[in-house]
Amino acid sequence: MIAISSTSRIWIATGHTDMRKGMQGLSLLVQENLDRDAFAGDVFVFRGRGGSLIKALWHDGIGLSLYAKRLDRGRFVWPVTVGGVVALSAAQMSYLREAIDWRNPQHTWRPQSAG
């Protein structure tokens, strides 16, 4: 599991990505297509065409790390726009990892009164 600090910048690469790519291929994609520095400590998240697999790439100051998660059922919620990146907070990334709609999470129960 990734331990993401609240100060980390998290970027979703919109559209779909070839999930055969490893660390080097994804870091090159970050540099060339997203115009970002893959070694600056930011987390970059990619989704495959089918929507059930994501990969997260980040550099912790020592080396590159790659996290992958495949859902048994369902799909990860992804932005509709194609090209570029979308910023997420650490809390939204937690929702994304759990396959919860990070754009508008809903409380399952809310109290009606204090007494």
Side-chain angles (χ1 to χ4, degrees), residues 20-115:
R20 296 175 291 183
K21 292 182 186 287
M23 287 185 228
Q24 290 80 14
L26 291 174
S27 61
L28 187 63
L29 185 71
V30 167
Q31 179 181 326
E32 292 181 350
N33 292 7
L34 305 179
D35 296 322
R36 308 261 183 214
D37 182 8
F39 307 105
D42 296 349
V43 178
F44 297 92
V45 186
F46 305 89
R47 187 183 88 153
R49 184 180 297 271
S52 64
L53 174 65
I54 60 169
K55 287 186 178 181
L57 177 76
W58 78 100
H59 193 272
D60 62 1
I62 299 171
L64 277 174
S65 298
L66 183 66
Y67 170 83
K69 183 168 185 174
R70 182 183 308 273
L71 295 177
D72 293 331
R73 284 183 275 161
R75 294 179 176 193
F76 291 101
V77 175
W78 217 247
V80 179
T81 60
V82 177
V85 292
V86 172
L88 290 184
S89 67
Q92 288 173 319
M93 179 64 179
S94 296
Y95 287 132
L96 175 66
R97 282 193 321 229
E98 298 301 321
I100 298 171
D101 188 350
W102 54 269
R103 300 167 300 180
N104 188 20
Q106 300 293 317
H107 294 281
T108 56
W109 178 79
R110 177 173 236 111
Q112 298 297 320
S113 65

